Amino acid sequence: RLLKMEEFFPESFRLDLKDERNAFFELYKEEQIWICKPSCSNQGRGIFLLKNSAAVNTLQAKLHSAEESLLKKRVPYKAPQARIVQRYIHQPLLLEGKKFDVRSYLLIACTAPYVLFFAHGYVKLTCVNYDAASDDLTVHLTNQYMQKKNSLYSQLKDETVWRMEHFNSYVNEKFRKTHGLPKDWVFTVFTTRMQQIILQCFLAAKHKLDRKLGYFDLIGCDFLIDENFKVWLLEMNANPALHTNCKVLRDIIPAVVYESL
């Protein structure tokens, strides 16, 4: 069964497409939080939050100015930088008060014929407790590159990455009874949902892949779970980080690379 987009993907708009850009600016209401990110970047670079009308108006003016500038130069039209705005999920599930998301892997092992593999990765947590109103990006973005900017990172870095087994035990202990979850929800319901979403995204994009012998690709897939245990896909990353800068990653990443090859 194919899922509807709103069942797993936060409402999103492409700012490089005029119709979508205008639709977002018409839709925006005060008190909403949206996250704005470039579509071809990594490590949290270029990401910022839109938390009020002033920030949204500034972005709108900046995009309009860039468009006007290009028209005046009489150069062939060039779309604004490819960015998306995505509705911010402001009630995420928290682990010990901290925001987290889950990195899983899709290996496109072959395109002629199509051969796909799924692999569990790890849980990425922030250094500090979650506060939706905070302007500190290290409260909102979980990747290691961003967490390194927090002064607490050096002493907490091994606590910012959990094994999936640790996550599963934590959910069993802290949430299973209160939320009526089945035992080992992480390795049953959650895993099945991630695979369902990843497969659907692959089917949507497979026509763009080079169908040739020797083609393969490892994709990093980031999932967020909200406080109602709904699973959201945040993004899929080409060229996912393979750093081993903390204990858990030193165990997990080499195996992912080895098994991929």
Side-chain angles (χ1 to χ4, degrees), residues 156-189:
L156 294 176
K157 71 175 184 178
D158 281 326
E159 295 172 32
T160 63
V161 181
W162 285 11
R163 292 175 173 280
M164 293 300 290
E165 291 79 6
H166 181 186
F167 178 40
N168 183 58
S169 299
Y170 187 92
V171 171
N172 279 342
E173 182 185 337
K174 303 284 186 183
F175 301 120
R176 189 183 162 203
K177 285 185 179 175
T178 54
H179 288 78
L181 302 176
K183 188 170 186 289
D184 297 330
W185 178 86
V186 167
F187 289 126
T188 54
V189 177

Side-chain angles (χ1 to χ4, degrees), residues 15-200:
L15 294 180
D16 56 317
L17 299 179
K18 191 170 185 178
D19 288 350
E20 291 202 22
R21 190 163 71 234
N22 292 341
F24 166 69
F25 290 126
E26 286 174 22
L27 173 84
Y28 180 80
K29 292 184 177 66
E30 192 65 71
E31 305 302 320
Q32 294 179 345
I33 304 177
W34 292 73
I35 186 165
C36 185
K37 49 190 175 183
S39 60
C40 296
S41 186
N42 58 7
Q43 300 181 326
R45 281 190 287 248
I47 293 180
F48 55 89
L49 298 182
L50 296 167
K51 300 175 76 173
N52 52 53
S53 293
V56 171
N57 291 339
T58 299
L59 176 63
Q60 189 171 17
K62 188 175 175 183
L63 291 171
H64 183 72
S65 171
E67 202 171 40
E68 290 284 301
S69 172
L70 285 168
L71 288 171
K72 283 177 185 171
K73 288 178 183 173
R74 294 184 180 178
V75 294
Y77 178 71
K78 183 182 173 188
Q81 181 189 13
R83 283 184 161 273
I84 68 163
V85 283
Q86 188 174 73
R87 191 181 289 277
Y88 186 81
I89 298 163
H90 65 279
Q91 294 178 312
L93 186 68
L94 303 178
L95 301 180
E96 297 179 349
K98 297 177 175 67
K99 188 178 178 184
F100 73 96
D101 60 52
V102 175
R103 163 62 55 90
S104 293
Y105 296 100
L106 164 67
L107 175 66
I108 303 169
C110 182
T111 57
Y114 290 119
V115 181
L116 310 180
F117 293 95
F118 168 87
H120 279 296
Y122 52 92
V123 179
K124 303 176 284 176
L125 297 90
T126 58
C127 292
V128 293
N129 283 6
Y130 177 66
D131 173 11
S134 175
D135 291 326
D136 180 0
L137 277 180
T138 67
V139 171
H140 301 279
L141 304 180
T142 63
N143 65 64
Q144 292 281 297
Y145 182 85
M146 188 58 65
Q147 290 306 305
K148 284 179 184 177
K149 297 181 178 183
N150 191 293
S151 58
L152 296 171
Y153 179 77
S154 56
Q155 66 193 73
L156 294 176
K157 71 175 184 178
D158 281 326
E159 295 172 32
T160 63
V161 181
W162 285 11
R163 292 175 173 280
M164 293 300 290
E165 291 79 6
H166 181 186
F167 178 40
N168 183 58
S169 299
Y170 187 92
V171 171
N172 279 342
E173 182 185 337
K174 303 284 186 183
F175 301 120
R176 189 183 162 203
K177 285 185 179 175
T178 54
H179 288 78
L181 302 176
K183 188 170 186 289
D184 297 330
W185 178 86
V186 167
F187 289 126
T188 54
V189 177
F190 177 50
T191 298
T192 300
R193 190 63 154 186
M194 287 194 292
Q195 292 172 339
Q196 184 183 19
I197 291 168
I198 287 171
L199 180 58
Q200 183 162 330

